[in-house]
Amino acid sequence: MNLPKKVVLCEVGPRDGLQNEPKILSVEEKVKLIDSITDSGFKVIEVGSFMHPKAVPQMASTDEVFKKIKTKDGVEYRALIANMKGLERAMDCGCRKVKLNVSASKSHNLANLNRTPEQSVAGFKETVQAAASCNIEISGSISMPFGSPWEHEIPVDDVKKIVQAYIDAGVTEISLSDASGMAVPSQVYNICTEMQKEFPMVKWILHFHNTRGLGVANIIAGMQAGITWFDTSFAGVGGCPFVPGAAGNVSTEDVLHMLDEMNIETGIDLDNTILISKMLVKILGHSTDSYILRAGKSKDLILDLPTGQKK
Amino acid sequence: MNLPKKVVLCEVGPRDGLQNEPKILSVEEKVKLIDSITDSGFKVIEVGSFMHPKAVPQMASTDEVFKKIKTKDGVEYRALIANMKGLERAMDCGCRKVKLNVSASKSHNLANLNRTPEQSVAGFKETVQAAASCNIEISGSISMPFGSPWEHEIPVDDVKKIVQAYIDAGVTEISLSDASGMAVPSQVYNICTEMQKEFPMVKWILHFHNTRGLGVANIIAGMQAGITWFDTSFAGVGGCPFVPGAAGNVSTEDVLHMLDEMNIETGIDLDNTILISKMLVKILGHSTDSYILRAGKSKDLILDLPTGQKK
């Protein structure tokens, strides 16, 4: 099985997870969680987003959180933005990396904005240039490239047009985000193989939701296709924007546990990560879709022969 | 991605799933479920087990269930047995296929039975011969070949000795059963590749529990290694014998949904399968670890553009 020796897990829980929670965490709670994530060895953390506070109240304090977190050299603290206004907030609070997003659904985009997804991306150009001029790194995300809740199948050529639009706008780090949980492993493998071949200059990130239980299998398929950057979310928090009550982002500790067991290096401490997810579950006050929080690590399941109890 | 065009899903929920449920289903409920499973197109169904009714009260009615289910030509209705007594019950009720099981844990077997797992398998010989003489097919299962709760790592050579013991006893259909949920995909791929190479005469079945969320990923790894027979359980019922409250067997509808989306043929009707799992959940009176029951099929998630509602 052709797998990489080393992968990077990007912890997106503080943004994509917490924005789906009814409970709004305090700045102190967020800072404590994010500082612990830094301490666990993550190299990429999605701290929050700069959306309108009325649209996403869970993320209203992102500016303040950025000012208070302890940053570590070599660690990327990124935020999702929608436009120039978001970039301005990023500049003001010391955020050094922002991420833009577009949906791969042409019909959805046309119906809502009267433009294709690639025309939307072209419209990001001013924001990208402004970010470059003040030395803020930029990333682009494409939602639903593996299937869309509007047209079901998205032709891979349509996704390529969006990728090309990002490249034309100056963005060469691109995340493929299966927010509707429609991706399947063979498809992930094929699309990732094709994308890397056609756009070798792009740094790819994969972002899977576990809506239909395929998050981990899709990560494996991505790794087999040569991708080494993956978004995951602590305790598996998050959700599917189109399916109320569905499972969230693929759980960080579940993925990390598997990678550890397969001897794939991440530089992240699994035990600390589990403690952070437990801390989060306590703050949220409800259980989440995390297998490792339920079952524990395989290595912890060593039974004593005479007693049958855990050693 | 090298995947088979066709796979066989063996529905083990009526045995491995229901034996973990506190509620004991009536004969009528079981017969209705199993008949529906037959109607959905499954070619292998694990109907129950012939254990001592005090040890596994959920399976006490297996004899009666076998007498009442509607059987279909070309469909295999199998039962788990522990010994000659179980085989006799199988003969009496018309069961034509039985499965024996041994744990791959040498230290556990030695401590409990003062014999190695392969010595235990050798002890099955009389049962295997008796089955052959009355034309009952026989299958062998090896629990925990990917990792054991007693010694954690199981040397692959130890598993090979058990396989050889099965072959020596006359059993050439062998299931590798990760009942403790410790397997990881790279390991599944490597062990399955090695086993098939060393024992080309064996028909392999893989049986994964979703204890740590890797059931589907392990099935993909098995398929990539060339395995095409997999046990799954309706609604994901089951559990981990060593971790109270852990997730059960990998869910039939989750696996089937993925296979359908990847155009891998099973001959099984997904919609019917989902209805059966919903019927089961209603009978059990609690929700289960099934993603498809929560989120629905990808193909059902087609939203209407003007309304944003489901079409």
Side-chain angles (χ1 to χ4, degrees):
Chain A
M1 213 173 189
N2 193 19
L3 294 169
K5 287 199 171 62
K6 211 172 162 172
V7 308
V8 177
L9 295 189
C10 317
E11 175 54 64
V12 298
R15 199 275 305 171
D16 204 15
L18 296 186
Q19 77 176 16
N20 276 281
E21 288 294 328
K23 180 173 177 180
I24 301 182
L25 270 63
S26 69
V27 170
E28 291 64 36
E29 286 169 329
K30 289 184 182 181
V31 169
K32 193 177 172 191
L33 287 165
I34 293 165
D35 285 352
S36 305
I37 293 166
T38 298
D39 290 340
S40 283
F42 287 83
K43 293 284 172 283
V44 185
I45 305 169
E46 196 158 301
V47 170
S49 67
F50 298 114
M51 302 295 162
H52 196 286
K54 279 193 181 145
V56 194
Q58 294 92 336
M59 294 294 120
S61 65
T62 298
D63 319 67
E64 217 180 324
V65 171
F66 261 101
K67 285 179 191 159
K68 292 194 173 157
I69 51 171
K70 172 180 77 184
T71 57
K72 195 173 150 185
D73 281 353
V75 179
E76 194 178 285
Y77 300 88
R78 75 183 181 209
L80 184 71
I81 63 168
N83 47 35
M84 190 63 103
K85 173 74 193 144
L87 181 67
E88 284 161 14
R89 284 173 62 191
M91 289 183 211
D92 287 346
C93 68
C95 164
R96 310 299 309 156
K97 172 105 181 210
V98 293
K99 182 167 92 173
L100 289 157
N101 178 258
V102 71
S103 161
S105 168
K106 194 192 231 170
S107 52
H108 187 229
N109 238 57
L110 283 170
N112 278 356
L113 306 166
N114 200 28
R115 45 169 81 180
T116 63
E118 60 270 26
Q119 286 167 336
S120 288
V121 169
F124 292 155
K125 204 159 190 176
E126 191 199 2
T127 308
V128 175
Q129 286 170 344
S133 73
C134 59
N135 222 12
I136 289 184
E137 274 191 88
I138 202 142
S139 190
S141 164
I142 303 173
S143 286
M144 271 77 81
F146 303 107
S148 132
W150 295 281
E151 51 268 273
H152 196 67
E153 284 185 26
I154 299 286
V156 69
D157 284 340
D158 286 6
V159 183
K160 285 181 185 171
K161 282 180 199 158
I162 307 173
V163 171
Q164 189 58 57
Y166 265 129
I167 295 170
D168 293 344
V171 176
T172 54
E173 178 183 293
I174 298 174
S175 157
L176 301 176
S177 164
D178 183 37
S180 54
M182 296 168 86
V184 291
S186 54
Q187 178 198 27
V188 169
Y189 180 83
N190 292 336
I191 290 183
C192 289
T193 302
E194 203 169 328
M195 288 293 167
Q196 287 175 105
K197 202 174 160 189
E198 189 143 339
F199 304 103
M201 72 295 278
V202 171
K203 179 177 125 186
W204 299 97
I205 303 174
L206 294 177
H207 176 108
F208 293 114
H209 283 232
N210 209 20
T211 321
R212 291 174 185 82
L214 301 181
V216 174
N218 286 331
I219 286 179
I220 304 256
M223 287 197 291
Q224 290 189 275
I227 308 287
T228 57
W229 293 64
F230 301 96
D231 288 352
T232 62
S233 174
F234 49 6
V237 286
C240 174
F242 317 103
V243 186
N249 292 60
V250 63
S251 142
T252 304
E253 58 273 18
D254 291 354
V255 175
L256 188 52
H257 177 266
M258 175 191 72
L259 294 172
D260 272 12
E261 290 286 316
M262 300 206 298
N263 296 315
I264 295 175
E265 204 188 318
T266 61
I268 301 165
D269 187 288
L270 175 58
D271 289 316
N272 269 353
T273 304
I274 292 172
L275 288 177
I276 297 167
S277 293
K278 285 183 175 167
M279 192 200 309
L280 174 67
V281 165
K282 215 170 160 187
I283 293 171
L284 295 176
H286 64 77
S287 66
T288 62
D289 288 296
S290 162
Y291 288 93
I292 293 302
L293 289 192
R294 276 169 81 179
K297 297 186 295 173
S298 288
K299 287 201 169 65
D300 287 344
L301 183 66
I302 302 297
L303 304 180
D304 190 42
L305 275 173
T307 67
Q309 299 299 306
K310 259 178 136 179
K311 265 193 185 166
Chain B
M1 214 173 188
N2 194 18
L3 294 169
K5 285 198 173 62
K6 213 171 159 170
V7 308
V8 177
L9 295 190
C10 317
E11 176 54 65
V12 298
R15 198 275 303 169
D16 204 14
L18 296 186
Q19 77 176 14
N20 275 281
E21 288 294 327
K23 180 174 179 180
I24 300 181
L25 269 63
S26 69
V27 171
E28 291 65 36
E29 286 170 326
K30 288 183 183 182
V31 169
K32 192 176 173 193
L33 287 166
I34 293 165
D35 285 351
S36 306
I37 294 167
T38 298
D39 291 339
S40 284
F42 286 84
K43 293 282 173 284
V44 185
I45 305 170
E46 196 158 301
V47 169
S49 68
F50 298 114
M51 302 294 162
H52 196 286
K54 279 196 180 142
V56 193
Q58 294 92 335
M59 294 294 119
S61 65
T62 298
D63 318 67
E64 219 181 321
V65 172
F66 261 102
K67 285 179 193 159
K68 293 195 173 157
I69 51 171
K70 172 180 78 183
T71 57
K72 193 172 152 185
D73 280 355
V75 179
E76 195 178 284
Y77 300 88
R78 76 184 181 209
L80 185 71
I81 63 168
N83 48 34
M84 191 63 103
K85 173 74 192 141
L87 180 68
E88 284 160 15
R89 284 173 63 190
M91 288 182 213
D92 288 345
C93 68
C95 165
R96 310 300 309 155
K97 171 103 183 210
V98 293
K99 181 168 94 173
L100 289 157
N101 178 259
V102 71
S103 161
S105 169
K106 193 191 230 171
S107 52
H108 187 228
N109 237 56
L110 283 169
N112 278 357
L113 305 165
N114 199 28
R115 45 168 84 178
T116 63
E118 59 271 25
Q119 285 167 338
S120 289
V121 169
F124 293 154
K125 205 160 190 174
E126 191 198 3
T127 307
V128 175
Q129 286 170 344
S133 72
C134 59
N135 221 12
I136 288 185
E137 275 191 87
I138 201 143
S139 188
S141 163
I142 303 173
S143 286
M144 272 76 78
F146 303 106
S148 133
W150 295 282
E151 52 270 271
H152 195 66
E153 283 185 26
I154 301 285
V156 68
D157 284 341
D158 286 6
V159 184
K160 285 181 185 170
K161 282 180 199 157
I162 307 172
V163 171
Q164 189 58 57
Y166 265 129
I167 295 169
D168 292 345
V171 177
T172 54
E173 177 183 293
I174 297 174
S175 157
L176 302 176
S177 165
D178 183 37
S180 53
M182 297 168 86
V184 291
S186 53
Q187 178 199 27
V188 170
Y189 180 84
N190 292 337
I191 290 182
C192 290
T193 302
E194 202 168 330
M195 287 294 167
Q196 288 177 105
K197 202 175 160 188
E198 188 142 341
F199 304 104
M201 71 295 278
V202 171
K203 178 178 127 188
W204 299 98
I205 302 174
L206 294 178
H207 177 109
F208 294 114
H209 283 232
N210 210 20
T211 322
R212 290 174 186 82
L214 300 182
V216 174
N218 286 332
I219 286 180
I220 303 255
M223 287 197 289
Q224 290 190 275
I227 308 287
T228 57
W229 293 64
F230 301 96
D231 288 352
T232 61
S233 175
F234 50 5
V237 286
C240 174
F242 317 103
V243 185
N249 293 59
V250 64
S251 143
T252 303
E253 60 273 17
D254 290 354
V255 174
L256 188 52
H257 177 266
M258 176 191 71
L259 295 173
D260 271 12
E261 290 286 316
M262 300 205 299
N263 296 315
I264 295 174
E265 204 187 315
T266 60
I268 302 164
D269 187 287
L270 174 59
D271 288 317
N272 270 353
T273 304
I274 293 173
L275 288 177
I276 297 167
S277 293
K278 283 183 177 169
M279 193 199 309
L280 173 67
V281 165
K282 214 169 158 186
I283 293 170
L284 296 176
H286 64 77
S287 65
T288 62
D289 287 296
S290 161
Y291 287 93
I292 292 301
L293 289 192
R294 275 169 81 180
K297 299 186 295 175
S298 288
K299 287 200 170 65
D300 288 344
L301 182 66
I302 302 298
L303 304 181
D304 189 42
L305 276 174
T307 67
Q309 299 298 307
K310 259 177 132 178
K311 268 193 183 166

